[in-house]
Amino acid sequence: MALARSRSRSRTRDRDRAKSAALREESPFAERFALFAECLLTGVWIALAALPLVTYPAAFAAGSRHLRRRTAHVGGGRREFVADFRAAVRGGWIVGLVGWAVLAAVWVDVQAVRAGLPGGPLVGAIGVLGLIGAAVAVLRAAAVWRPGATWRGLLGAAGRRTVLDPAGSFLLVGGLAVVACSAWFVAPLAVPVLGAVAAAAVAVEERHRRR
C-alpha cells in the first residue's frame, strides 16, 4: 500500500511539473493575445459599473486593479472586480460628480465661443485643455488605486504626474481619443476599448514608477 501511494504521489508530481513546463513554454503571442482579450472583457465590466454615471472613477479603478492582478499572474475575476468597485465607489462617486460638473462648465465655455462673446475662444481653449488634463489625472489616479487609498491623495499625486510626465499623459489622451472615435463611428466598439484605456493607464504608471 505504501509503495502504491508513493507511486501515485510521484505521478501527481510529474503531472504538475508537466503543466508548469507547458505554462512556461506558452508562446509570447498567446500570452499577449490572452491579455488583450482580458482587456476587452474588462472594458465591458467597466462600462457596466459606470452606468450610474458618477461611478466611472471607481469602475476604472476596479478595472485597473484587475488588470494589474492579471499581468502579475495573480488570481482574480468578476468577484474581485465587484469587491474592488464597492470599495472604490465609497469616495469615487464624489470624484465622478465633480467630473460631470467640470464637463458642464466646459460646455458653457464652448457655448460662449459659439456665441462670439469677447474672449470666448481663449476661455474655451483653456476649458477644454483643463477638461482633458482632469480626465488624464483621474485615469492615472484610478490606475494606482488600492483599497484604503483616498481619492483626494491619489488625485493630488496624479495631477503632478500628469504635468511632470507629459509623454505618458499624451499616451492616455490618445487612448481617450480612440474611445471617442469608436463611439462616433460604431458606439458599441467604445465599450471594450475602455479596457484598453485602463491597461494603458496601468502601463503608463508602471513606466513612471520605474523611471
Side-chain angles (χ1 to χ4, degrees), residues 104-130:
V106 172
W107 182 83
V108 172
D109 290 341
V110 172
Q111 296 307 307
V113 173
R114 297 179 65 181
L117 295 179
L122 177 61
V123 174
I126 293 174
V128 171
L129 290 176

Side-chain angles (χ1 to χ4, degrees), residues 13-147:
R13 285 195 298 269
D14 291 341
R15 285 196 298 268
D16 291 341
R17 292 194 191 101
K19 290 180 181 178
S20 299
L23 290 174
R24 286 194 300 268
E25 292 174 1
E26 184 179 14
S27 69
F29 174 79
E31 184 176 355
R32 290 169 185 169
F33 184 80
L35 179 59
F36 176 70
E38 194 71 30
C39 289
L40 300 183
L41 175 61
T42 303
V44 176
W45 291 352
I46 291 174
L48 292 175
L51 284 178
L53 298 184
V54 296
T55 57
Y56 63 88
F60 271 103
S64 298
R65 192 155 190 259
H66 170 71
L67 292 175
R68 291 203 305 271
R69 283 194 296 264
R70 177 64 178 80
T71 55
H73 301 285
V74 177
R78 180 175 54 84
R79 292 182 179 180
E80 288 76 10
F81 175 89
V82 172
D84 287 336
F85 173 74
R86 288 176 176 173
V89 81
R90 290 168 190 160
W93 71 270
I94 300 176
V95 178
L97 185 62
V98 172
W100 285 112
V102 171
L103 179 61
V106 172
W107 182 83
V108 172
D109 290 341
V110 172
Q111 296 307 307
V113 173
R114 297 179 65 181
L117 295 179
L122 177 61
V123 174
I126 293 174
V128 171
L129 290 176
L131 178 64
I132 294 173
V136 171
V138 170
L139 283 175
R140 299 189 75 140
V144 297
W145 177 87
R146 285 178 173 79

Side-chain angles (χ1 to χ4, degrees), residues 109-208:
D109 290 341
V110 172
Q111 296 307 307
V113 173
R114 297 179 65 181
L117 295 179
L122 177 61
V123 174
I126 293 174
V128 171
L129 290 176
L131 178 64
I132 294 173
V136 171
V138 170
L139 283 175
R140 299 189 75 140
V144 297
W145 177 87
R146 285 178 173 79
T150 63
W151 280 99
R152 184 174 183 178
L154 290 173
L155 286 171
R160 290 189 292 272
R161 293 194 301 274
T162 299
V163 176
L164 298 176
D165 181 23
S169 297
F170 281 126
L171 176 62
L172 294 181
V173 171
L176 292 173
V178 170
V179 173
C181 291
S182 300
W184 178 266
F185 290 109
V186 184
L189 286 180
V191 172
V193 172
L194 292 174
V197 174
V202 171
V204 164
E205 288 301 311
E206 183 64 20
R207 167 184 168 275
H208 181 75

